[in-house]
Structures are given as C-alpha cells and as structure tokens.
Amino acid sequence: MVQGQDAKAQVGTARARGRPRSFDRATALRKALMAFWAHGYEATSVSDLTRIMGIGAPSLYAAFGDKRTLFEEVVRVYADTYGAFGDRAIAEEATARAAVVRMLHEAAAAYTDPAHPYGCLIVHAATNCASPEVERPLRERRNANIAAVESRIRADLAAGLLPAGTDAAALARHTGAMIQGMSQQARDGANREQLEALAEIAMAIWPRG
C-alpha cells in the first residue's frame, strides 16, 4: 500500500512540474525590476514583490529563486536594457570625448524619463544595504564602467587624440562621478535640461588634442 501511495505521489509531482506557469515570467520580472529600481533592494520585501508581480511566494521561488537571485537577474536585465547606453556610446563613438558626451546626455534623458523610476538602479538599489553579497556586485559594475572609460581614454592618448600627460584614471573617475551624481540629482527632482547643463559643464574640463 505504501508503495502504491509513493507511486501516486511521484505521478502527482511530475504532473505539477509539467504544468505551465499561470503567469508571464518576463512581465513579472519587469515588475520586479521596477520595484527594486524605485525602492532599492533592502526596502523591497518578498511580500512586496509577490504583490507587485501578481504571483504567490511559491511561484516566485520556483520561477526566480530567492529574493537575492531575483535581484541578480533584475540587475542583468537592467544592464542590458535601460543601463546599456554607456556601453553603446563607448563601442560606437570615434573618440573617448565623443563617447562621454553622448553618455552624459543619454544619462540625462534616461535618468529623468517618467516612464520608469528616476536615476540608475545600479547606483541606488543597494544604498544602505546590509548584505555585502548584494552591494559588492553593483560596486564592481560601477567600477567596471569607469575602467571601460579609462581604457578608451588611454587608447586615445596612444593615438595622439589627447594631450600627452592627460590623467586617464582621474578623467575616467570624473566621468563616473558625474554619471552617479546625475543619477542622484534626478532622484532629487532635477529635470533633463538641468542635467544636460551639468553635462556641458563637465565636458568643459576635458583636454583637447
């Protein structure tokens, strides 16, 4: 009798695993992205997520893992979509200066777009976060972005497009500080025109070849 019950349980489990999800995963993920972007990792609870995503906790865990795993996926999606303008500028523009000009102006537009939360998720989502496992990857992403700008500046130096002696590391960090500062300004209510004015001032210190 016990063996028969075990067999039935296995069949039931197989059927449960084979059932299609009753929600659209991509839609639920986008809702989670918006929640983390607006409120940050620490302030967004699992109960908040299930309510916003319109799913139960068992469905959340089955589809996305725990809260931290869901957040890691959200960060990857954000970096590949809303936050991809910096990588595109570096890849597509002919010089480091042109790439940074484009990056700052696109940041001004992206960070103040009312279609989604203001600012940058990668800058703000782990503010006051007590978990190093959550905060560290975002810090690494921010530093990697600065390193990419520095690499591009060094390439221009080698090509003679910037004056010899230009401090590539400091100039790249200045760009990172502007990007991160513009994100905070957007969160504090600055509009696109105000951030674009900051971008123009930021570029005034760039050396010309």
Side-chain angles (χ1 to χ4, degrees):
M1 183 66 179
V2 173
Q3 290 179 347
Q5 289 175 343
D6 288 344
K8 288 180 180 178
Q10 289 173 3
V11 171
T13 301
R15 286 175 179 170
R17 287 175 179 167
R19 289 173 187 159
R21 294 193 184 100
S22 60
F23 65 94
D24 182 80
R25 190 182 189 281
T27 299
L29 181 61
R30 184 180 184 280
K31 290 177 179 178
L33 189 157
M34 293 298 166
F36 283 127
W37 193 350
H39 306 295
Y41 178 84
E42 202 74 38
T44 306
S45 67
V46 171
S47 61
D48 292 330
L49 290 166
T50 56
R51 174 178 52 81
I52 291 165
M53 297 166 76
I55 60 177
S59 294
L60 186 152
Y61 292 125
F64 300 102
D66 60 14
K67 175 183 168 182
R68 195 180 83 183
T69 304
L70 170 60
F71 180 70
E72 289 169 353
E73 184 171 355
V74 158
V75 170
R76 289 193 296 271
V77 170
Y78 176 88
D80 290 341
T81 54
Y82 300 100
F85 60 85
D87 289 341
R88 286 196 302 268
I90 290 174
E92 296 172 4
E93 294 299 326
T95 65
R97 180 186 179 87
V100 172
V101 168
R102 174 175 164 181
M103 194 183 306
L104 293 177
H105 282 278
E106 291 193 10
Y111 293 168
T112 58
D113 187 343
H116 52 64
Y118 295 136
C120 172
L121 180 147
I122 291 173
V123 172
H124 297 291
T127 302
N128 299 322
C129 180
S131 172
E133 295 81 7
V134 173
E135 190 278 331
R136 187 185 307 111
L138 296 185
R139 183 174 70 248
E140 290 172 351
R141 280 184 178 271
R142 293 191 295 269
N143 286 335
N145 291 338
I146 293 171
V149 174
E150 181 179 346
S151 178
R152 190 62 194 279
I153 292 169
R154 291 191 184 282
D156 281 10
L157 268 167
L161 299 175
L162 287 170
T166 296
D167 190 332
L171 200 54
R173 194 157 293 280
H174 172 265
T175 300
M178 289 304 305
I179 290 281
Q180 294 171 28
M182 289 168 71
S183 177
Q184 183 60 57
Q185 288 285 306
R187 301 278 282 201
D188 289 344
N191 60 35
R192 178 175 177 174
E193 290 73 22
Q194 290 169 327
L195 295 188
E196 287 183 337
L198 289 180
E200 292 297 325
I201 294 171
M203 294 311 301
I205 66 100
W206 267 66
R208 293 187 178 275

